[in-house]
Amino acid sequence: MVEWITSAGLVPYEDALRRMEERVAEISAGTAGEAVWLLEHPPLYTAGTSARPADLTDPDRFPVFAAGRGGQYTYHGPGQRVAYVMLDLNRRGRDVRHYVKTLETWIIEALADFNLRGEVREGRVGVWVARPDKPALPDGTPREDKIAAIGVKLRRWVSFHGISLNVEPDLSHFDGIVPCGIRGHGVTSLVDLGLPVTMADADQALKSAFARVF
């Protein structure tokens, strides 16, 4: 059984890292079970192991943390549901690519509960939604906005970090970075797309989709 943990209020990023490290060690030692931790952070930027300094365009705007996860720069803040996924891949198959693909499928399934089509794109990690209501890019490429980010880390085949789903964050806060190193396309949220989704609604969709996908 996977334990679901939901934190009220805003959890400082350093506290979250410490608590994840502790839980992953316990899962690896067999003294604790798998868990998914749902929370929100105060406004901050995190740098993954592939982050490029040039993609931090406003370094003084919010605190910046080295996350130790895969990926590049991302933003976390109020109105964004972060799900830290701590699973034992020793029992679920030692396949990192399959795990990341399953995380993407999980988000897509959760978005479908709101009749929203989420999609993945080759070379662009995360989940995207088509924006036919916005002008195409200069090269004619149809506009797409990112609604969810993914960044994972494994230790002894136990996963941590996870996903972030934009429910109703301040989208202007993404302006201080090039999110995930991808230029041209933008960022959106459930509420930005006109869906009156609360954080509780999003949590329920994530829990329901998790049971179907994992």
Side-chain angles (χ1 to χ4, degrees):
M1 294 292 292
V2 174
E3 180 185 4
W4 288 84
I5 305 164
T6 303
S7 290
L10 303 179
V11 178
Y13 192 72
E14 291 172 312
D15 291 352
L17 286 180
R18 175 181 52 79
R19 290 169 64 180
M20 271 196 292
E21 294 269 359
E22 292 171 353
R23 184 62 178 247
V24 166
E26 291 168 355
I27 293 171
S28 184
T31 57
E34 298 176 314
V36 177
W37 183 14
L38 303 175
L39 68 153
E40 294 173 84
H41 286 303
L44 57 93
Y45 298 129
T46 67
T49 54
S50 301
R52 298 184 294 254
D55 288 342
L56 182 60
T57 58
D58 190 355
D60 298 323
R61 186 167 190 174
F62 297 124
V64 181
F65 296 90
R69 53 159 175 78
Q72 301 186 36
Y73 281 105
T74 194
Y75 165 77
H76 294 314
Q80 181 191 72
R81 176 51 89 208
V82 174
Y84 289 134
V85 186
M86 292 162 278
L87 300 181
D88 186 357
L89 301 190
N90 290 290
R91 300 193 295 108
R92 294 175 177 267
R94 294 184 175 189
D95 187 330
V96 179
R97 289 186 179 182
H98 175 73
Y99 174 59
V100 172
K101 187 175 182 64
T102 305
L103 291 175
E104 291 173 337
T105 302
W106 174 33
I107 298 167
I108 290 169
E109 286 280 324
L111 294 177
D113 282 3
F114 305 111
N115 296 313
L116 181 62
R117 181 182 177 86
E119 300 177 292
V120 295
R121 291 291 180 263
E122 187 70 28
R124 285 196 259 138
V125 177
V127 177
W128 300 78
V129 293
R131 297 304 304 267
D133 56 312
K134 292 187 175 183
L137 298 181
D139 64 358
T141 302
R143 176 70 178 270
E144 296 173 337
D145 286 348
K146 192 170 193 175
I147 195 166
I150 295 174
V152 303
K153 184 175 180 178
L154 301 178
R155 180 170 299 150
R156 296 180 181 176
W157 290 102
V158 177
S159 70
F160 53 127
H161 295 277
I163 70 164
S164 57
L165 173 63
N166 296 332
V167 180
E168 192 180 7
D170 184 336
L171 295 178
S172 72
H173 289 180
F174 286 88
D175 293 345
I177 58 172
V178 178
C180 300
I182 298 166
R183 298 179 184 273
H185 296 286
V187 181
T188 190
S189 69
L190 289 163
V191 172
D192 180 54
L193 292 168
L195 299 169
V197 178
T198 67
M199 196 65 74
D201 295 332
D203 288 350
Q204 183 55 50
L206 287 169
K207 291 178 181 179
S208 176
F210 188 92
R212 299 194 299 269
V213 172
F214 284 92

